[in-house]
Structure formats: C-alpha cells, structure tokens
C-alpha cells in the first residue's frame, strides 16, 4: 500500500503488533502508539506490563484512551487508500480504452483491436473488413496498446511475430533471413504457450510449498501445545515431590521451577520464530502464486516473454523437512533422581540441576541459526582476545569476516570469461555461446558470486590493478538481469580511468586521492551497512548506511567492456591472501 498523504506515510500509521493501519489507536506514556485491541491482547498474555517497542515497564496496567488525532488520521489514510485502490481498479483497463481508432474521422471511437500487419488500431465498425475480406482475415491482432514500438521490429519496422530461441529475443519475418538466418525461431504464440506451461509447473510447486508450510505451521503449533501441557504436568509433579522435602530443599525447588519455566519460554520463542519465518514464506509464495495466475491468462505474449526470466522459478525458501520443535522434557529424569536420593538431597540435587543447565545450553546452541542474537554473542566470545591482539598489531579487524567468494558462471553475461576456479573475471569483445539461464545477466557484463548471505557480516577483496573501468559491490538475489543500472545493488565504480562513483540506483561522484589497486567490500546485514576500502592504503572509500536488507545479498562484479581507446582487458581477481588465516579461525569455532 503506497502512502496516501504527502505529510503522513503508511509506516507512521502502522501498528507494530498487527502490522496494519491503526484501529482505535492508544498511546503509552513512553510515546509509542498501538491498536487498543492489539496492546490489550499483548498485555493479557504477559506476566507484567511493558511497552512492546522500548520495553519500558509500568507498575500498574495503564488505563489507555483512544488517541483521537491518530485515529482520525488513520481513518483518512484508510479512506484515501480505498479511493486510490478503486481508482486503480477503474484505470486498470485504461491501457485499452485510451487507444482510439485510427480509421475513425470526426469523433474517434475506442479501439478494440490492433492489427500487427496494418500497424493500426480499429474500432468494432472498422474492424469488419478484416472479418469479411479473405486476404485481411490472415492478419494478426492483439489488444490495443499505446507502446506500439515494443511490438514492431526497430530494424525492419515489421511486426514481431517470431521468437528466436538462440538469442532469446522476439524478431520479425525479415530478421529470419538476415541477422537470425539459420537460427531456431518459432511463433511467439508457441513460445508463449511453452512458457505458460512452465509457469503452471512453477505455480503448482509454489502452491505445494504453501501447503507444506501451512502443515508445518500447524505441526509446530500442535507441538507447542504438547510441550506446554507436558511442562505443566512436569511442574505439578515437581511440586508434589518437593512438598515432601520442603524443609531441606525449598531453595532447590524454586531453582528447578525456574529452569523448567525458562525451558518452556525458550520453546515458545523458538516456535514463534519458526512460525514467523513460515508465515513470511507463505506470504511471499502467495504473492508469487497470484502473479503466476495473472500471467497464465495474459494475451500479451511479448510482455510475458520479456518478464519471464524472473518468474520461471519459485522464490527462494528454506528447507523445512528436518526442522521441528523440540518437545522433549528432561525434567522426569531429575524428578526420579530426586525421589531416589532424598537422604542425600542437598548434594545430589545440586549435581542434577547443573546437568539440566548444561543440557539446556546445548539445546540452545543447536538452534543458533534461529536465535541469531544469542548465536553471534556465543560465537564471538572466543574471538575477543584474538580481536584485541589483532587491533593492537594494527591488523584490519574487518578481515575477521572474510568469506571465500567464487563466481557463478550461470549468472555471467555472455561477454564475460571466468577462470576455472571462479576467482578471475575478464571481458571479451566476442559473445560466448552459452545456455539460456534465467539467472544470467543480459544487458551488461555483470556476474554474481555463488554464495549469498542473509544475515551477519561478510568481507571480500578484489584486485583491480590498473584497469580503467570496473564495478564492485553487492546485489540482491532478485536483481533485474536486463537493466543497465539495476536497483537492488550497492557498488562503487571507476569510469574512464578517473571518474569514481558510488551507485545505489543513482550514482554520486567520489573524490579519490590515490587510485586503489585492491578494493575491500564489507557488509553488515543487520546494521544495513555496505563499506568499501582501499586495502593497500588501509583507508576508507565510502559507506552506504541506513539500508534495510530483506533479501539475500551476493558479491557483484563487472570488469566492464574492453574499450579500444583504453584497453581495459585486464581481469578482476578475487584475493585469497587473507583467507588462509581467518578462514581456519572461523572453522574452529563453528561459524562456517
């Protein structure tokens, strides 16, 4: 939903609990706003009252009244959004109704068809000759469109009727006897039909994944209920045992109950995290399912072929087959031990509680990828002395996050040549004969790495040497393969030997004192940072800040075209110098 007001944006009117526009908004004393029902439900399920955003605690449950100003603003926003949606629905066929008949004189009627052979749009009346005259009945028609240039061959000014499978582009009949002679060409209707069949398979796969995730969500909810019931039963049993021993183990009883409750809370946190990820994937898959359903009924074959590479594969999702909620309870073992060891309860209870704590710590480590904040703290603690020593010896601490980058040949533009080990990249003037891939870049000599990152920090270095043109940075997994300057990329670039740019959709000029020979790229996913460094000079070049990453990021490179006046034929080389040391350290602590 786009913003409907120039003053207040949608994000300012969203409740952080239900993620929808406020309904009966109330304000806490710390200045944060929530739906009255959402905040009430949140507090009903909590042991104490605190702000869901800043965690400020309240001694007594606040008696909150509806904030009329925010309520009226939200109502106006919702009304404006509904009007925009209604207007969009009415305007959706406007691409057809705006086109007028080319044959009408005086007041022109709305066109109903566009003839590719005649190059003209016709209303129902002037379309009759094409229905009645035999020679005109062979003409091809499409729905009226305004962007006629996209349906006409720019070279021969003839309708685009065929699809060249060798070059993955639409061509006219004249193209098949000139530039595309001897190429494998088929009617665009045939290629569109095959693509629709492929899209249907993808849609079936998406629907299956939705169903799998719905079932997994239900399984986790049921597991959580069983875990909760089991925990309640174990608590009752524990209280019964400790009642008989209350004189000697009152303090141990409280400690045990605390461990058990913490175990249950950890299970609930784990379940909430898994359910949230599943719901996010379900939302994304449903959105893709809707897009595929709409495209499966389109008659605009050319438009379908032009956007097909990004839709032929299901969106990336996690493999949930082996992921489940841990509902095993270890309290029964402890309860039996306590019953058998009543005479020596003080010593033996202490031992068993320590064992329980150790077991809980191991279980928490097993779910480290789902409890990311705890993971980073546990994993980085062993590194603190090493980090301190490196800082004291003037080593670049960023190299602790160095990763082994290998370029992906399936994404490489046809003008790029990769080394066998995927560490070197150069551009050529002659295109290679490569298999079609929806992941491949078509417009510019770009390439992605095989490895992507959706959390944490990573760092890599590229040897640029004396090249006159290059592009280095990171890109989202879904970056457009046909755009010359695609969105979803964060890069720095050198043009014409002396023009340095920082590009994020648009570009800004950079001032460089010295030409770098090796460029380092550092990404902090959670903090939204992408930084670039001159490695040899150990100096900072530029940093993109305040980014909100939601998709997997990949190293993104281009050696740029080989220029006759400058050469620029030297390769980009991914550095290996730092990896032999830091990579071993990370493997020892289990980070990779």
């Amino acid at each position: 939903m786009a913003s409907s007001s120039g003053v207040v944006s949608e994000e300012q009117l969203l409740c952080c609990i239900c993620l929808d526009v406020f309904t009966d908004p109330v304000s806490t004393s710390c200045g944060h706003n929530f739906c009255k029902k959402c905040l009430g439900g949140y507090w009903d399920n909590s042991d104490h009252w605190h702000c869901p955003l800043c965690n400020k605690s309240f001694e007594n449950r606040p008696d909150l009244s509806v904030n009329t100003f925010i309520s009226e603003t939200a109502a106006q926003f919702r009304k404006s959004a509904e009007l925009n949606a209604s207007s969009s629905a009415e305007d959706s066929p406007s691409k057809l109704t705006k086109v007028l008949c080319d044959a009408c004189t005086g007041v022109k009627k709305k066109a109903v068809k566009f003839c590719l052979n005649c190059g003209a749009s016709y209303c129902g009346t002037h379309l009759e000759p094409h229905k009645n005259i035999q020679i005109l009945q062979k003409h091809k028609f499409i729905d009226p469109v305004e962007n006629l240039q996209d349906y006409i061959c720019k070279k021969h000014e003839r309708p685009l009727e065929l699809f060249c499978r060798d070059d993955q582009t639409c061509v006219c009949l004249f193209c098949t006897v000139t530039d595309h002679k001897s190429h494998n060409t088929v009617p665009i209707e045939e290629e569109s039909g095959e693509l629709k069949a492929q899209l249907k398979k993808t849609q079936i796969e998406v629907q299956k994944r939705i169903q799998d995730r719905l079932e997994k969500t239900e399984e986790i909810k049921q597991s959580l209920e069983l875990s909760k019931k089991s925990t309640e039963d174990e608590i009752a049993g524990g209280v019964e045992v400790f009642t008989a021993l209350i004189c000697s183990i009152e303090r141990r009883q409280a400690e045990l109950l605390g461990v058990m409750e913490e175990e249950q809370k950890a299970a609930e946190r784990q379940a909430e995290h898994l359910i949230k990820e599943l719901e996010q994937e379900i939302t994304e898959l449903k959105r893709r399912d809707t897009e595929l359903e709409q495209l499966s009924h389109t008659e605009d074959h050319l438009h379908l072929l032009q956007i097909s590479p990004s839709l032929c594969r299901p969106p990336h999702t996690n493999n949930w087959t082996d992921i489940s909620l841990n509902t095993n309870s270890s309290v029964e073992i402890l309860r039996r031990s306590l019953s058998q060891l009543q005479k020596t309860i003080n010593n033996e209870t202490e031992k068993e509680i320590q064992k329980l704590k150790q077991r809980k710590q191991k279980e928490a480590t097993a779910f480290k990828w789902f409890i990311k904040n705890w993971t980073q703290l546990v994993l980085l603690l062993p590194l603190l002395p090493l980090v301190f020593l490196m800082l004291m010896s003037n080593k670049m601490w960023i190299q602790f996050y160095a990763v082994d980058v290998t370029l992906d040949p399936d994404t490489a533009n046809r003008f790029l040549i990769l080394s066998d080990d995927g560490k070197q990249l150069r551009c050529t003037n002659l295109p290679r004969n490569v298999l079609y891939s929806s992941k491949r870049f078509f417009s510019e000599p770009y390439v992605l790495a095989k490895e992507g990152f959706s959390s944490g920090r990573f760092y890599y270095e590229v040897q640029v040497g004396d090249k006159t043109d290059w592009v280095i940075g990171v890109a989202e997994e879904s970056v457009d393969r046909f755009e010359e300057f695609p969105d979803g990329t964060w890069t720095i670039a050198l043009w014409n030997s002396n023009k340095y740019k920082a590009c994020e959709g648009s570009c800004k000029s950079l001032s460089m004192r010295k030409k770098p020979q090796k460029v380092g790229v550092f990404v902090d996913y959670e903090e939204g940072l992408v930084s670039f460094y001159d490695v040899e000079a150990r100096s900072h070049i530029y940093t993109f800040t305040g980014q909100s990453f939601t998709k997997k990021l990949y190293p993104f490179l281009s050696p740029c075209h080989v220029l006759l006046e400058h050469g620029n034929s030297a390769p980009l080389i991914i550095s290996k110098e730092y990896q032999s040391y830091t990579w071993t350290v990370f493997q020892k602590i289990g980070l990779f």
Side-chain angles (χ1 to χ4, degrees):
M1 186 186 298
S3 177
S4 301
S5 169
V7 178
V8 180
S9 67
E10 177 185 7
E11 288 75 11
Q12 295 172 298
L13 295 175
L14 290 182
C15 171
C16 69
I17 299 177
C18 67
L19 302 179
D20 202 354
V21 179
F22 288 125
T23 301
D24 295 334
V26 295
S27 302
T28 61
S29 60
C30 52
H32 296 121
N33 302 308
F34 309 91
C35 296
K36 186 175 182 180
K37 183 177 180 181
C38 294
L39 185 57
Y42 180 82
W43 281 345
D44 289 341
N45 296 317
S46 179
D47 295 335
H48 59 282
W49 305 289
H50 63 274
C51 176
L53 276 179
C54 67
N55 212 29
K56 178 182 178 181
S57 297
F58 307 105
E59 184 176 352
N60 298 314
R61 178 164 178 163
D63 185 12
L64 302 175
S65 300
V66 175
N67 188 319
T68 55
F69 174 75
I70 297 179
S71 178
E72 292 174 358
T73 305
Q76 293 175 2
F77 180 90
R78 192 177 280 108
K79 182 178 180 180
S80 177
E82 291 174 354
L83 290 175
N84 288 340
S86 175
S87 175
S88 299
E90 294 176 358
D91 293 341
S92 59
S94 62
K95 196 171 183 180
L96 304 178
T97 58
K98 283 183 179 178
V99 180
L100 302 178
C101 177
D102 293 325
C104 287
T105 59
V107 178
K108 291 183 175 291
K109 297 180 180 179
K110 296 176 183 177
V112 295
K113 288 292 180 183
F114 173 76
C115 178
L116 289 171
N117 298 83
C118 300
S121 299
Y122 297 105
C123 63
T125 301
H126 291 103
L127 190 63
E128 288 300 321
H130 283 80
K131 299 179 179 178
N132 301 324
I133 300 176
Q134 185 175 4
I135 191 172
L136 297 181
Q137 291 176 354
K138 298 180 179 180
H139 288 191
K140 293 189 175 183
F141 299 93
I142 62 173
D143 291 331
V145 291
E146 293 179 320
N147 54 331
L148 300 180
Q149 65 276 8
D150 292 340
Y151 296 80
I152 303 298
C153 178
K154 295 179 175 59
K155 185 173 183 179
H156 302 112
E157 297 184 354
R158 298 286 297 172
L160 297 171
E161 304 178 71
L162 302 171
F163 182 78
C164 178
R165 289 177 172 172
D166 293 337
D167 294 334
Q168 293 294 305
T169 186
C170 295
V171 298
C172 69
L173 287 173
F174 286 177
C175 291
T176 61
V177 296
T178 55
D179 298 341
H180 297 267
K181 186 177 181 181
S182 75
H183 285 192
N184 182 13
T185 58
V186 296
I188 60 174
E189 293 84 355
E190 179 181 338
E191 184 69 17
S192 177
E194 294 184 6
L195 179 58
K196 285 184 177 180
Q198 186 176 358
L199 291 177
K200 187 63 178 177
K201 293 180 180 179
T202 304
Q203 184 181 12
I204 293 173
E205 176 65 21
V206 169
Q207 292 173 345
K208 183 179 181 300
R209 293 190 183 188
I210 292 174
Q211 184 60 34
D212 291 343
R213 278 145 187 79
L214 288 172
E215 293 175 358
K216 178 61 72 172
T217 301
E218 187 62 29
E219 176 188 334
I220 291 175
K221 289 180 178 179
Q222 293 176 358
S223 298
L224 181 60
E225 287 299 320
L226 291 175
S227 174
K228 188 174 182 180
K229 185 179 184 303
S230 175
T231 301
E232 292 172 351
D233 294 341
E234 293 296 342
I235 290 175
V239 170
E240 182 179 353
V241 171
F242 274 100
T243 300
L245 307 172
I246 194 66
C247 294
S248 61
I249 60 169
E250 185 176 6
R251 182 169 60 88
R252 296 293 186 267
Q253 178 185 9
E255 183 176 351
L256 174 62
L257 293 179
V259 171
M260 293 168 59
E261 291 172 352
E262 179 59 31
E263 187 178 46
Q264 174 59 25
K265 290 180 180 178
E268 292 177 351
R269 287 194 295 269
Q270 175 200 343
E272 290 174 0
H273 184 85
L274 294 175
I275 291 172
K276 182 178 180 182
E277 285 200 4
L278 284 164
E279 289 175 345
Q280 289 175 348
E281 289 193 5
I282 290 170
T283 300
E284 177 63 19
L285 290 168
K286 285 184 176 180
R287 183 188 66 78
R288 179 61 63 86
D289 180 43
T290 301
E291 292 179 359
L292 294 171
E293 179 65 24
Q294 294 174 350
L295 288 173
S296 66
H297 299 293
T298 184
E299 298 297 331
D300 192 340
H301 308 295
L302 180 59
H303 175 67
L304 177 63
L305 292 174
Q306 290 175 338
I307 67 172
S308 65
S310 62
L311 296 173
C312 287
R313 299 178 63 181
H316 175 76
T317 54
N318 295 321
N319 183 5
W320 294 93
T321 304
D322 298 327
I323 297 176
S324 61
L325 189 67
N326 183 16
T327 60
N328 295 328
S329 175
S330 56
V331 181
E332 179 62 24
I333 299 175
L334 181 60
R335 188 161 63 89
R336 289 198 304 267
S337 299
L338 290 174
S339 299
Q340 297 169 0
L341 300 173
Q342 293 183 17
K343 295 181 180 180
T344 57
I345 191 64
N346 290 330
N347 294 333
E348 294 301 325
T349 302
E350 180 66 26
K351 294 179 181 179
E352 294 298 326
I353 290 178
Q354 292 302 322
K355 290 180 181 179
L356 181 60
K357 289 182 178 179
Q358 292 174 1
R359 188 179 295 110
K360 178 67 182 82
Q361 184 177 4
K362 291 180 181 179
E363 291 175 355
T365 302
F367 288 97
K368 60 183 179 180
W369 293 115
F370 298 100
I371 311 174
K372 298 176 183 176
N373 293 333
W374 292 2
T375 300
Q376 293 179 0
L377 180 60
V378 172
L379 292 177
L380 291 179
L381 282 176
L383 282 179
L384 291 179
L386 186 58
V387 172
F388 177 77
L389 290 175
M390 290 190 68
L391 288 173
M392 294 300 293
S393 60
N394 293 322
K395 296 289 186 180
M396 289 185 64
W397 68 270
I398 282 179
Q399 290 186 354
F400 271 110
Y401 303 101
V403 294
D404 186 14
V405 174
T406 302
L407 301 177
D408 185 356
D410 291 340
T411 67
N413 181 270
R414 293 189 303 154
F415 286 89
L416 294 181
I417 297 179
L418 278 62
S419 62
D420 293 339
D421 61 359
K423 303 296 184 182
Q424 297 191 27
L425 174 69
R426 64 184 180 88
C427 193
T428 178
N429 284 324
L430 298 175
R432 298 178 296 119
N433 186 17
V434 295
L435 296 176
Y436 169 77
S437 171
S438 60
K439 300 192 299 181
R440 193 178 306 284
F441 287 94
F442 290 91
S443 61
E444 293 296 319
Y446 296 139
V447 66
L448 295 177
K450 291 182 178 180
E451 303 82 8
F453 305 88
S454 57
S455 64
R457 304 179 178 95
F458 65 92
Y459 172 82
Y460 74 98
E461 295 175 355
V462 180
Q463 183 78 34
V464 298
D466 295 324
K467 287 182 64 66
T468 60
D469 299 80
W470 45 261
V471 178
I472 295 174
V474 294
E476 292 179 340
E477 183 178 17
S478 59
V479 63
D480 196 318
R481 267 54 172 177
F482 292 89
E483 290 292 330
E484 183 176 2
F485 301 105
D487 292 332
T489 60
W490 294 264
T491 63
I492 61 170
L494 171 63
W495 296 338
N496 299 329
S497 296
N498 59 4
K499 297 179 180 178
Y500 290 92
K501 303 282 187 180
C503 302
E504 178 200 0
S506 60
C507 296
K508 62 179 295 185
S509 298
L510 300 178
S511 177
M512 300 283 288
R513 296 181 179 179
K514 181 181 178 182
K515 184 175 182 179
Q517 295 293 306
K518 182 183 290 186
V519 176
V521 183
F522 173 71
V523 177
D524 188 325
Y525 195 96
E526 280 73 19
E527 293 296 326
L529 300 178
V530 182
S531 299
F532 299 88
Y533 300 88
D534 183 335
V535 176
E536 294 184 353
R538 295 190 176 183
S539 61
H540 174 256
I541 298 175
Y542 186 79
T543 294
F544 295 101
T545 61
Q547 308 301 313
S548 297
F549 299 129
T550 58
K551 301 178 180 178
K552 186 175 287 189
L553 297 180
Y554 289 78
F556 175 74
L557 293 84
S558 172
C560 295
H561 293 289
V562 178
L563 306 176
L564 296 178
E565 62 271 24
H566 298 299
N568 197 44
S569 59
L572 291 177
I573 303 174
I574 298 174
S575 178
K576 303 179 183 178
E577 295 177 359
Y578 54 83
Q579 294 171 356
S580 60
Y581 174 66
T582 56
W583 189 259
T584 302
V585 174
F586 281 131
Q587 285 180 325
K588 286 183 178 180
I589 67 169
L591 189 57
F592 292 101

